Amino acid sequence: MEKYIYITLFAPLIGSLVSAIFGAKEKKLFVGIFASIMLLVSAFSAIYLLFHIDAEHIYHVKLMDWISAGNLHLSFGFVADQVSVIMMVTVTFVSAMIHIYSIGYMEHDQSFNRFFVYLSLFVFSMLILVMSDNFVGLFIGWEGVGLCSWLLIGFWYHKDSASWAANEAFIMNRVADLGMLIGLFLIYWNTGSLQYDEVFAKVGSLSPSTLTLIGIFLFIGAMGKSAQFPFHTWLADAMEGPTPVSALIHAATMVTAGVFLVIRANQVFSMIPDVGLFIASLGAFVAVFAASMALVNNDLKKIIAYSTLSQLGYMFVAAGLGAYWIALFHLMTHAFFKSVLFLGAGNVMHAMDDELNIKKMGGLGDKMKWTMIIMTVASLALAGIYPFAGFFSKDKILEVAFAQDHYVLWAMLWIGAGMTAFYSFRLVMLVFFGEERYKHYGFHPHEVKAFVLWAMAPLAVFATIGGFFEHPFMEFTTELLPKYEPEIEPHFLSYVLVVLTLGLAISGILYAVYKYSTGGFSKEVENYPIYKLLSNQYYIPEFYNKCIVKPYMVISSFLWQKIDVAVVDKTVDTIAKGLYSGGDKARGMQSGNLSNMLRLMVFGLLVLLLLVVIFNPAS
């Protein structure tokens, strides 16, 4: 099996390196095709591994000895177990479809080749993260996806908004990553290792306070990568990158890394239930918080981005309450329907000359029938409607909250489910149905090429049927993760909860359909304080700008002008001028006159002898 692990891992890297050979040259279709083939090879290899792993067959491979310093000995090793292989299959399969889609999406871009260099490298970094058998390897992949996200969000770097968004994402993640590093240092300091097996074997002997500190700092890193409050603002701004990048970040890489970290370190978090409850509480808050902003936003991609933020909150609720396999299950189903939503948004953007305002669309269903169908399917899955995938995984999370008597968390998630259904079909209605508003703006929409739709089709299929794999998924993953099945007594109450959640979701959909088929809300709504609060993202970006960014700029400007320029630069310049002036004056000694030079030599010798007498009188 070792070769399949290496094929899965290194095929995307080969695609990136081959693309890099042509990176600075004019567009070559071969680059996109080759990179996509490498991703398909990686995906098929991961699927092969999936069918050959069980409780008795977990594969560890060591590429080479890596770090040997003091008592720390680490190999560059990888593991294919029940958790990592699920992530491998999800990442490679979704990424392969996105690569194929990107051939059509980026075909007119001058930096076509460079795009595939970054895109494949992004996938390779994520695979390093999920396949490593130690925390250092995970951290290298962690930083790798951070770097690649910066390259891809700022791909169109000639746009100030893209460069700003890339820097925001990169810097905000670096702040959170400091917490991650402190957590890793604490792990090594207290266990003497960073190898998963060795660390998890020793965590039981650590004090509760030490485990709590480790859990808190690891989760701070997860908060940044998965854009949890207060590190959430970068995620919506990251929409400045090409749409396939948005699909990759939100569905298969980057933001899922934080959830994966909590799942992978479940043996740590299982021992600190108070930290777990905080994680779940923050997740429930973010689920509602992000959904509320999506209710009023008019940017096509940002609405979907807020839905990702909300769904990540659901995943953290499950992980925080100890239902790790359910968190992983929702991560997988979410990858299918969220990637489809973003790719569908890309189709709409192409048809509308990159327009993102959904109020300038409407009636596109007649021109883009297949995109409409696929995005509607994905929206039903996101809303949690039976029998689509989101119903099974999201409903399971609500059951977990209720079964553990966390009724406030359940209520928040329930409200979030209703919001999700409404804003999902608000988007569908405003984009694909109703008045053809795009005609007023001179747009001429059209459907995308057939192969682009075919790339989306497998993702749409799994967004439809993925939920039916719930029980095989549970049996497979709980060979490694804690076995957990929410039990609600009396038993009929679980059906009541399902009906309540499903009924709210259907009501949200019907209300959106009714409201936006009859003209939508009046303009007066935009004057309501709650609307202004939501449309301005609770004024949090403005708060950050006024209380963090601007003061930091003022302090930086002061230090630059008063310290760097006035003190440091002036000191260096003064020394340089003094040396130059002294050298200029001493230049006269080099006259070339032998008599003068002999006199200077004798004078210098006398000075040296005098210094010897003064500083060493005993001699």
Side-chain angles (χ1 to χ4, degrees):
M1 290 298 135
E2 182 174 339
K3 67 178 179 181
Y4 293 102
I5 294 175
Y6 288 140
I7 289 171
T8 303
L9 177 62
F10 289 111
L13 179 62
I14 293 171
S16 178
L17 293 175
V18 170
S19 300
I21 295 172
F22 304 95
K25 298 181 180 179
E26 63 182 48
K27 176 199 140 184
K28 293 186 180 294
L29 193 62
F30 157 78
V31 168
I33 295 173
F34 182 79
S36 301
I37 290 172
M38 287 296 99
L39 259 296
L40 286 171
V41 168
S42 179
F44 284 124
S45 179
I47 292 169
Y48 181 83
L49 284 168
L50 176 66
F51 288 102
H52 289 81
I53 288 175
D54 54 40
E56 297 178 358
H57 297 90
I58 293 176
Y59 300 98
H60 293 262
V61 299
K62 185 174 79 170
L63 185 61
M64 60 183 178
D65 290 325
W66 185 22
I67 298 175
S68 184
N71 295 325
L72 178 61
H73 300 281
L74 278 179
S75 61
F76 203 75
F78 306 96
V79 60
D81 59 19
Q82 288 83 351
V83 170
S84 64
V85 78
I86 289 292
M87 291 297 297
M88 289 155 63
V89 170
T90 303
V91 169
T92 55
F93 177 73
V94 173
S95 299
M97 298 303 106
I98 292 172
H99 270 67
I100 296 170
Y101 174 94
S102 298
I103 296 172
Y105 189 88
M106 300 295 292
E107 65 177 339
H108 298 301
D109 197 285
Q110 292 181 342
S111 299
F112 180 89
N113 301 347
R114 179 167 61 91
F115 179 80
F116 282 94
V117 176
Y118 298 162
L119 202 67
S120 294
L121 186 62
F122 203 176
V123 180
F124 172 69
S125 298
M126 188 65 184
L127 289 173
I128 288 281
L129 191 158
V130 302
M131 294 175 65
S132 291
D133 64 359
N134 61 82
F135 282 104
V136 178
L138 179 147
F139 188 72
I140 288 177
W142 193 271
E143 294 303 303
V145 295
L147 171 64
C148 293
S149 69
W150 179 75
L151 293 169
L152 286 164
I153 294 168
F155 183 77
W156 290 315
Y157 53 84
H158 56 276
K159 295 166 56 180
D160 289 340
S161 57
S163 295
W164 189 91
N167 289 336
E168 180 192 19
F170 191 79
I171 293 168
M172 197 164 282
N173 273 274
R174 296 294 72 69
V175 173
D177 287 353
L178 177 61
M180 171 84 162
L181 273 174
I182 294 173
L184 297 188
F185 283 130
L186 286 172
I187 289 173
Y188 176 69
W189 185 264
N190 289 280
T191 66
S193 177
L194 288 165
Q195 199 79 24
Y196 290 152
D197 294 344
E198 296 175 12
V199 170
F200 297 148
K202 296 177 181 178
V203 291
S205 62
L206 302 183
S207 67
S209 59
T210 299
L211 281 172
T212 298
L213 281 175
I214 290 172
I216 288 171
F217 283 114
L218 287 181
F219 182 61
I220 288 173
M223 287 167 65
K225 200 63 73 182
S226 292
Q228 295 296 283
F229 179 87
F231 300 106
H232 66 282
T233 55
W234 71 265
L235 191 61
D237 294 332
M239 299 303 97
E240 288 290 338
T243 302
V245 174
S246 303
L248 200 58
I249 288 176
H250 288 248
T253 60
M254 190 73 172
V255 296
T256 59
V259 179
F260 171 79
L261 173 63
V262 176
I263 295 170
R264 175 55 82 187
N266 68 86
Q267 287 164 281
V268 173
F269 288 98
S270 294
M271 301 182 69
I272 42 177
D274 289 342
V275 175
L277 182 58
F278 170 77
I279 293 172
S281 300
L282 181 64
F285 165 75
V286 171
V288 177
F289 171 72
S292 66
M293 291 186 286
L295 292 173
V296 301
N297 203 286
N298 295 319
D299 185 300
L300 176 62
K301 287 172 67 175
K302 285 189 177 182
I303 294 170
I304 306 173
Y306 285 130
S307 84
T308 298
L309 189 54
S310 180
Q311 297 307 304
L312 287 167
Y314 280 85
M315 297 175 209
F316 277 117
V317 170
L321 296 180
Y324 300 103
W325 77 265
I326 296 174
L328 187 60
F329 185 48
H330 192 53
L331 186 156
M332 183 189 73
T333 60
H334 174 264
F336 297 135
F337 56 74
K338 187 50 57 67
S339 56
V340 169
L341 281 171
F342 269 113
L343 298 183
N347 294 354
V348 173
M349 287 176 64
H350 258 320
M352 295 287 292
D353 298 331
D354 291 334
E355 177 59 56
L356 285 167
N357 190 339
I358 57 176
K359 289 194 172 181
K360 293 183 179 180
M361 299 176 189
L364 291 178
D366 292 336
K367 302 289 184 180
M368 308 179 70
K369 178 182 176 182
W370 288 109
T371 297
M372 177 198 69
I373 292 172
I374 291 174
M375 286 194 72
T376 302
V377 166
S379 297
L380 287 167
L382 173 59
I385 302 302
Y386 183 86
F388 298 94
F391 166 81
F392 295 89
S393 56
K394 188 188 290 186
D395 185 72
K396 212 71 177 173
I397 296 171
L398 273 82
E399 284 186 35
V400 170
F402 197 91
Q404 295 192 23
D405 301 330
H406 296 299
Y407 303 122
V408 174
L409 298 185
W410 177 86
M412 293 174 72
L413 297 179
W414 183 73
I415 293 168
M419 290 181 174
T420 301
F422 177 81
Y423 70 66
S424 297
F425 277 83
R426 170 179 178 264
L427 183 151
V428 170
M429 292 300 296
L430 285 173
V431 172
F432 295 109
F433 297 96
E435 180 190 354
E436 295 176 334
R437 295 180 298 277
Y438 64 84
K439 291 182 177 179
H440 304 313
Y441 301 95
F443 295 117
H444 303 283
H446 55 84
E447 188 61 277
V448 294
K449 294 180 179 178
F451 82 89
V452 172
L453 292 171
W454 279 111
M456 298 168 63
L459 298 170
V461 169
F462 280 103
T464 304
I465 66 171
F468 292 104
F469 295 98
E470 175 189 337
H471 292 293
F473 185 94
M474 178 188 69
E475 292 171 2
F476 179 73
T477 54
T478 53
E479 291 175 354
L480 184 69
L481 298 173
K483 292 185 178 181
Y484 180 88
E485 183 69 20
E487 295 182 4
I488 299 174
E489 296 295 340
H491 191 63
F492 78 88
L493 187 56
S494 61
Y495 295 104
V496 173
L497 295 175
V498 171
V499 171
L500 280 174
T501 306
L502 190 58
L504 182 64
I506 293 172
S507 298
I509 292 173
L510 293 176
Y511 183 60
V513 171
Y514 164 75
K515 198 67 184 176
Y516 290 99
S517 61
T518 56
F521 293 93
S522 66
K523 276 279 187 180
E524 294 178 3
V525 171
E526 297 179 10
N527 296 321
Y528 293 172
I530 185 65
Y531 185 95
K532 291 181 178 179
L533 183 69
L534 298 178
S535 61
N536 287 285
Q537 304 173 55
Y538 292 91
Y539 297 99
I540 291 173
E542 186 176 339
F543 171 79
Y544 285 173
N545 189 48
K546 287 184 177 180
C547 298
I548 298 176
V549 177
K550 286 186 176 179
Y552 180 82
M553 291 295 292
V554 170
I555 294 170
S556 299
S557 180
F558 171 80
L559 293 175
W560 166 53
Q561 293 178 352
K562 303 300 181 182
I563 305 297
D564 195 35
V565 174
V567 178
V568 178
D569 285 359
K570 196 167 185 178
T571 301
V572 173
D573 291 345
T574 302
I575 293 171
K577 286 178 181 178
L579 291 172
Y580 182 83
S581 177
D584 188 53
K585 292 177 180 178
R587 189 182 302 155
M589 294 187 296
Q590 301 294 331
S591 63
N593 187 298
L594 183 61
S595 298
N596 289 339
M597 297 185 75
L598 285 171
R599 281 193 287 271
L600 288 170
M601 288 174 64
V602 171
F603 176 75
L605 180 62
L606 290 173
V607 171
L608 288 173
L609 289 172
L610 183 63
L611 290 172
V612 169
V613 171
I614 293 172
F615 292 104
N616 194 13
S619 63

